[in-house]
């Protein structure tokens, strides 16, 4: 039974499927120094149902403060970051290997090409990842983590 659960987990959570979510996010996020650290927020925010729903409905006036006011969006976020940390690393490596993204010397992610090959169940996550830039705006990476209540990676 454990092998079955592991197999299902790997089908739905693999870098081949989830890497385009990073391209969608970083295509919209403003270039800033060390924005590669924001990659560790993508999967925990766009795959979590509550935060995904909020992000899909985000407007240009939405901010990280209004996002964090709804406790369901950020509850358990540090644990989710740790849960998706290895998968995030694999997705970034897959995206680099397939020349989808480039990481500059100042740890800034630049999207070189995007893939539109997403599973049907990830279309809402893609919309949410495109709207992450609305809550991150021009804030510093450290400030974003602090406002979300994440103390370490």
């Amino acid at each position: 039974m454990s092998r079955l659960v592991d197999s299902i987990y790997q089908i739905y959570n693999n870098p081949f499927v989830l890497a385009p979510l990073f391209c969608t996010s970083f295509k919209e996020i403003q270039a800033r120094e060390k924005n590669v650290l924001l990659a560790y927020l993508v999967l925990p925010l766009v795959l979590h149902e509550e935060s995904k729903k909020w992000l899909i409905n985000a407007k240009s006036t939405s901010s990280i403060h209004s996002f964090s006011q709804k406790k369901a969006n950020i509850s358990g976020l540090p644990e989710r970051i740790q849960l998706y940390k290895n998968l995030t690393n694999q997705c970034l490596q897959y995206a680099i290997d397939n020349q989808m993204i480039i990481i500059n010397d100042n740890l800034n992610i630049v999207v070189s090409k995007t893939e539109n090959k997403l599973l049907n169940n990830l279309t809402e996550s893609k919309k949410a990842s495109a709207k992450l830039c609305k809550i991150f705006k021009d804030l510093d990476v450290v400030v974003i983590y602090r406002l979300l209540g994440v103390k370490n990676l």
Side-chain angles (χ1 to χ4, degrees):
M1 184 67 164
S2 176
R3 286 182 39 211
L4 176 65
V5 172
D6 288 341
S7 297
I8 292 173
Y9 176 83
Q10 289 180 355
I11 288 172
Y12 285 102
N13 295 313
N14 67 55
F16 309 110
V17 174
L18 297 176
L21 293 177
F22 291 92
C23 296
T24 303
S25 293
F26 283 97
K27 191 169 90 175
E28 303 294 328
I29 291 175
Q30 179 183 355
R32 60 179 69 109
E33 189 174 333
K34 297 182 183 176
N35 77 347
V36 70
L37 296 173
L38 295 177
Y40 293 97
L41 293 173
V42 173
L43 294 179
L45 294 178
V46 302
L47 296 180
H48 184 254
E49 286 300 317
E50 294 295 326
S51 58
K52 177 172 52 174
K53 288 177 190 175
W54 193 95
L55 286 168
I56 289 172
N57 296 319
K59 298 176 177 64
S60 60
T61 57
S62 299
S63 70
I64 198 164
H65 298 291
S66 58
F67 177 78
S68 61
Q69 282 179 348
K70 187 173 180 186
K71 297 300 180 197
N73 288 340
I74 60 170
S75 65
L77 184 59
E79 292 83 13
R80 285 185 274 150
I81 289 172
Q82 292 304 317
L83 178 71
Y84 287 113
K85 190 175 187 177
N86 189 33
L87 184 58
T88 298
N89 290 335
Q90 292 173 357
C91 288
L92 290 175
Q93 187 63 51
Y94 175 77
I96 291 168
D97 291 345
N98 288 294
Q99 300 171 346
M100 297 163 65
I101 63 170
I102 299 167
I103 300 180
N104 292 339
D105 293 335
N106 61 353
L107 299 177
N108 184 22
I109 292 181
V110 178
V111 177
S112 55
K113 66 178 181 178
T114 58
E115 286 187 15
N116 292 326
K117 299 176 187 173
L118 279 177
L119 298 177
N120 289 337
N121 61 344
L122 289 177
T123 54
E124 287 185 344
S125 295
K126 183 178 179 182
K127 290 177 188 175
S129 66
K131 291 193 173 187
L132 273 176
C133 64
K134 294 186 190 270
I135 65 166
F136 292 161
K137 293 193 171 82
D138 57 352
L139 295 173
D140 187 43
V141 175
V142 175
V143 173
I144 292 170
Y145 273 93
R146 189 177 302 136
L147 290 172
L148 292 174
V150 179
K151 296 179 182 172
N152 60 8
L153 275 178

